[in-house]
Amino acid sequence: MKHRSKIIIATVLAACVAVGIYLVTSRKPESTAQSTVAVTQPKTVVKVKTNHPLTVKVYRIAIDNDQPVLRETESTVAPGKNPIEIALDRLIEQGDKHGMANPIPRGTRLLGWKVKGGLAQVNFTHEFRDNFTGGSDGEGLTIGAILRTLSQFPEIKRVQLLVEGQSIDTLGNIDLSKPLDVMGAGSDYGGGN
C-alpha cells in the first residue's frame, strides 16, 4: 500500500510538471517587433513602444498678437503604450485644451496609421475633409499641427494623409496628393511660427 501511494504521488507530480512545461512553452512571447497593418485598421503596433512613461508633443492653435499660431502641448504616454498612437489620439481629440483650439475638423476620427520606410500614412474619416472650414490659414494650421506632431518621431520623415483609405488632393490650397516632408512643418505651415 505504501509503495502504491508513492507511485500515485509520483505520477501526479509528473503530470503537474508536464502540464506546467506545456503551458510555459506554448505561451506566445510578447513581441515589440514592428508589424505592418493596413491603414484601414484601427491600430498599428510599431517598435517604439515604451516601458517607462514619457511625454509627447501635440500641437494646437493659440492666439499670439491677434494671429493664430501653433503651440505645443504635452501628453504623457503610459508604459507599454505606443507614443505615435497616443500623439495621434490626442491630436484629434476635440475641444480646447490649455486654452488652445484643436485644428483638426470636428468629428474626425482616426481609422488607422502605419509607419514604414520613413513614411507615415495616417487615415482619417471623411469628416477630416468634409468638415474642414478653415480657409488657407486654417489649412496651414491643420496640416502644420499634424506634421509638427509627427516630426518628433525620428522614424517619420514624410506623412501621407488619407481619408477613408484614399489619398486626397487638398483641403483647399495645399497639395496633399503626395507625402509631405515633416521638416517643412516649421516654416511652410502654421503661420510661419
Side-chain angles (χ1 to χ4, degrees):
M1 186 73 171
K2 208 177 203 185
H3 180 65
R4 188 176 213 171
S5 296
K6 287 182 181 179
I7 291 175
I8 292 172
I9 290 172
T11 303
V12 169
L13 285 174
C16 288
V17 168
V19 168
I21 290 171
Y22 171 76
L23 291 174
V24 168
T25 59
S26 66
R27 243 178 89 194
K28 293 180 182 174
E30 291 184 20
S31 174
T32 58
Q34 180 173 357
S35 66
T36 303
V37 177
V39 293
T40 55
Q41 296 298 316
K43 304 291 178 197
T44 300
V45 177
V46 179
K47 60 183 172 184
V48 293
K49 279 190 175 181
T50 177
N51 290 325
H52 58 285
L54 58 91
T55 302
V56 292
K57 298 174 198 167
V58 177
Y59 287 81
R60 294 198 173 259
I61 300 172
I63 301 299
D64 188 11
N65 293 326
D66 295 326
Q67 295 295 318
V69 294
L70 291 173
R71 295 284 182 251
E72 71 181 53
T73 63
E74 294 184 344
S75 283
T76 301
V77 179
K81 297 292 184 180
N82 188 298
I84 297 171
E85 184 172 326
I86 297 302
L88 286 168
D89 286 344
R90 297 299 177 271
L91 179 65
I92 65 169
E93 269 181 2
Q94 296 301 305
D96 296 350
K97 305 276 190 225
H98 311 290
M100 293 182 267
N102 184 346
I104 305 300
R106 289 214 177 274
T108 299
R109 288 176 289 118
L110 181 66
L111 291 176
W113 61 276
K114 71 177 180 179
V115 178
K116 185 175 182 181
L119 174 65
Q121 289 183 313
V122 182
N123 190 17
F124 295 116
T125 57
H126 67 91
E127 289 87 356
F128 180 73
R129 177 191 57 231
D130 297 347
N131 293 349
F132 178 76
T133 59
S136 295
D137 289 341
E139 184 182 23
L141 291 164
T142 298
I143 302 307
I146 295 167
L147 294 178
R148 288 180 192 198
T149 296
L150 293 174
S151 71
Q152 69 191 298
F153 303 105
E155 61 271 32
I156 298 176
K157 307 296 183 210
R158 297 172 299 131
V159 176
Q160 176 72 60
L161 300 177
L162 305 172
V163 171
E164 308 282 339
Q166 302 295 315
S167 63
I168 57 174
D169 292 331
T170 186
L171 290 177
N173 296 316
I174 298 171
D175 182 7
L176 301 177
S177 63
K178 299 178 218 143
L180 301 170
D181 187 343
V182 295
M183 297 310 290
S187 59
D188 296 343
Y189 309 108
N193 55 334

